[in-house]
Amino acid sequence: MIRLALVTVFAALLSMIPGVSHARVPGALGTAGNLMREEQPRADGIRHVDTKAIIAGLKALNANTYVYPMAGDNVHWTDLRDEFLPAAAAAGIDVWVLVYSPSQESCCVSRPFKHDYVAWSREIATLAKSHPNLVGWTVDDYAYDLKTFTPAYVGQMRSVAKAISPALKFVPTVYYAQFTDAFIAEQIPLVDGVVLPFRDEPYRDTSWSWSLSYQVQQLAKRLPGTEVYLMPYAYPLSHAAQKPTVSYVEAVTKKGVEHVRSGELAGVLQYKLPFLSRDQAWTRPTTDNLARTGDGRLSFVVQKQTATKAGMSCGATRKTVLISGAAKRVVSFWHRDARGPKHPAGYHIKQLLLNGQVVWERDVAADAADTWVKATVDLTAKLSGATSATLQWRLYERKGVSDYFIDVSVDDIALTGLEMSDPGVENAAVWTPTLARQGGAVYCSAQVYHENYGADLGARIAKLYAAG
């Protein structure tokens, strides 16, 4: 993006001047939400925002930005004004304010100004005038409410804010599919940037990260000069089959930071990263562990209300080494899914391929639901004279569906006469590069359970943020 590129060049030129030491200009790196209150009420009977704990957690995360959600009662606003902003400034942390949109009224209403977004513009700008580390604000799910946020209304919001605090940024939250030509033409000239939540559109999952770079690069072309802030989901996404894993969030964040360095993104702001041990999401319940043994499994998914076509698939492919002199070459593994004989057959097919050829398959409706079943495939004859072999576990669409959810698990692979690293699927880093999907609507992942989700993920994100 033009502005970011100019800043980077200017900083580099300054660093070349003798006697001038100038730190690298970072993007916004931080998190949004998970606002914690103090454990005990104060003398006024109110459990106020736990500013001290939040700031300590953000510093441990190496975050330079926090998106402060305006949810709950009026104490969030007064605590922001009186306590949080001064403490964040002392810690070198920039603050954004998140305000909820009208369509979110059933779960969240921002107070004290509710759905008066001109008032929010005025009051946030007034607060920013006396607190320079209040640098921006966003409206969540903004593009779902364009009947409210008409160009005329947003123009009024902008005029009010810029008259008070010209530097304050309005950066609404907009999903990738909502960047239509009409939206770009009407709305982008009125905002100072956008927050892009990443959810692998149009499939809406938190397992597949490869579409991220495409989305970022497309927006960089379509929104020249507009700051784009990536928002990875560290918190479960509604309608997604699985919760985000440590390895998934780390992968999306790492790619995001790389795009910040390239100037295609202005920052990375996690959605509800559990960065405090008191957060309910800090640990994951054991019921989240769907592996047969250990913590990891391969997962092959078609989401609810998702259309597929015959021939679509997603597979995990691994090269194996054949043990010299072995009399037998056998592969066994355990598989499981939630369907069974009462469900339609002939659609989702579990398969094992050897060197690209199917050597085993099983319909998801063939076995009892939610039951681990062992498959054993003798490859001795097929591998006669071979020195290596490629195996692929995949989910294949024999016929297309319109709404037939499935999550197939594969775990505890055992090899006789062959060798392969991590057959128990305990290390996502081993399996993730081997994944490939054909057609998009079927996806697969290595799902590795982390009981200490917040601590394990936070440590990895802190390293990425520290490197900038």
Side-chain angles (χ1 to χ4, degrees):
M1 287 172 278
I2 296 173
R3 281 178 286 181
L4 286 174
L6 288 175
V7 169
T8 302
V9 170
F10 182 64
L13 290 174
L14 276 178
S15 67
M16 298 178 186
I17 301 174
V20 174
S21 175
H22 204 81
R24 174 183 53 82
V25 179
L29 301 175
T31 187
N34 286 0
L35 195 69
M36 305 296 293
R37 295 203 187 202
E38 294 170 342
E39 296 184 273
Q40 299 298 325
R42 298 184 190 177
D44 59 7
I46 297 173
R47 290 174 59 221
H48 286 258
V49 172
D50 197 337
T51 293
K52 184 177 179 180
I54 294 172
I55 296 297
L58 293 171
K59 290 177 69 176
L61 195 63
N62 295 314
N64 62 25
T65 303
Y66 179 64
V67 183
Y68 185 106
M70 206 57 62
D73 52 33
N74 293 347
V75 72
H76 283 188
W77 176 252
T78 56
D79 283 353
L80 170 70
R81 180 190 64 206
D82 300 337
E83 300 178 12
F84 193 86
L85 281 171
I93 296 172
D94 287 338
V95 179
W96 297 15
V97 171
L98 182 149
V99 178
Y100 291 99
S101 62
S103 63
Q104 296 172 302
E105 187 171 18
S106 61
C107 76
C108 313
V109 176
S110 295
R111 292 180 172 83
F113 309 110
K114 298 183 179 179
H115 298 146
D116 186 345
Y117 298 96
V118 173
W120 279 112
S121 297
R122 179 182 64 251
E123 297 304 322
I124 293 172
T126 301
L127 197 56
K129 190 173 182 180
S130 56
H131 296 279
N133 65 317
L134 176 52
V135 298
W137 70 293
T138 185
V139 172
D140 196 25
D141 280 1
Y142 176 84
Y144 287 110
D145 285 284
L146 296 182
K147 289 184 179 180
T148 295
F149 299 111
T150 64
Y153 189 65
V154 180
Q156 186 181 358
M157 292 163 53
R158 182 180 181 86
S159 296
V160 166
K162 294 300 181 184
I164 301 168
S165 180
L168 179 70
K169 297 177 181 179
F170 176 54
V171 190
T173 301
V174 183
Y175 293 95
Y176 181 75
Q178 295 171 329
F179 286 100
T180 63
D181 290 343
F183 180 90
I184 292 172
E186 294 177 0
Q187 294 281 340
I188 294 301
L190 299 172
V191 303
D192 301 295
V194 291
V195 175
L196 172 69
F198 174 66
R199 58 183 187 183
D200 189 34
E201 291 187 71
Y203 306 111
R204 296 187 67 176
D205 66 82
T206 52
S207 297
W208 197 263
S209 63
W210 284 266
S211 56
L212 170 63
S213 290
Y214 174 81
Q215 292 185 16
V216 169
Q217 290 163 359
Q218 287 299 304
L219 287 183
K221 292 177 182 178
R222 297 179 68 201
L223 308 176
T226 300
E227 294 182 347
V228 179
Y229 297 84
L230 177 70
M231 181 171 279
Y233 278 89
Y235 185 81
L237 169 65
S238 58
H239 306 299
Q242 296 141 342
K243 297 178 181 180
T245 63
V246 168
S247 60
Y248 166 81
V249 181
E250 180 186 27
V252 173
T253 303
K254 184 177 180 181
K255 286 187 179 183
V257 171
E258 290 170 357
H259 286 296
V260 173
R261 292 195 190 108
S262 71
E264 293 165 309
L265 287 175
V268 179
L269 302 167
Q270 303 283 341
Y271 179 67
K272 287 192 174 181
L273 178 70
F275 61 96
L276 295 177
S277 60
R278 285 164 42 207
D279 194 315
Q280 289 185 346
W282 182 259
T283 58
R284 290 274 172 90
T286 56
T287 51
D288 282 0
N289 186 353
L290 300 181
R292 179 176 175 269
T293 62
D295 295 321
R297 67 181 176 112
L298 291 176
S299 170
F300 304 83
V301 172
V302 173
Q303 293 271 32
K304 297 176 182 177
Q305 300 176 352
T306 299
T308 67
K309 295 180 180 179
M312 287 184 173
S313 68
C314 193
T317 304
R318 297 293 304 279
K319 289 185 178 181
T320 65
V321 175
L322 276 60
I323 299 172
S324 178
K328 287 282 188 179
R329 307 200 188 280
V330 179
V331 177
S332 68
F333 56 93
W334 293 79
H335 57 95
R336 176 185 179 181
D337 63 75
R339 296 302 175 176
K342 294 182 179 180
H343 294 274
Y347 296 90
H348 305 311
I349 310 297
K350 298 176 275 190
Q351 295 180 331
L352 174 67
L353 285 71
L354 171 66
N355 298 329
Q357 300 298 314
V358 176
V359 292
W360 172 92
E361 65 179 24
R362 192 76 170 166
D363 197 290
V364 299
D367 301 304
D370 295 317
T371 302
W372 285 102
V373 180
K374 187 177 182 179
T376 300
V377 186
D378 191 331
L379 303 176
T380 307
K382 294 182 180 295
L383 291 175
S384 177
T387 58
S388 65
T390 299
L391 298 174
Q392 183 187 71
W393 289 264
R394 78 175 182 183
L395 179 65
Y396 178 80
E397 296 295 277
R398 182 144 290 157
K399 292 190 291 187
V401 302
S402 58
D403 185 6
Y404 191 177
F405 169 75
I406 192 68
D407 181 1
V408 170
S409 297
V410 170
D411 196 8
D412 292 336
I413 300 164
L415 306 173
T416 301
L418 305 93
E419 291 182 333
M420 179 185 75
S421 61
D422 194 32
V425 197
E426 297 299 307
N427 187 349
V430 171
W431 286 91
T432 300
T434 77
L435 305 175
R437 66 183 183 184
Q438 300 294 326
V442 186
Y443 66 88
C444 48
S445 59
Q447 292 284 309
V448 179
Y449 167 76
H450 284 251
E451 181 180 8
N452 299 315
Y453 175 73
D456 294 347
L457 177 57
R460 299 190 191 193
I461 300 303
K463 289 182 180 179
L464 292 172
Y465 282 177

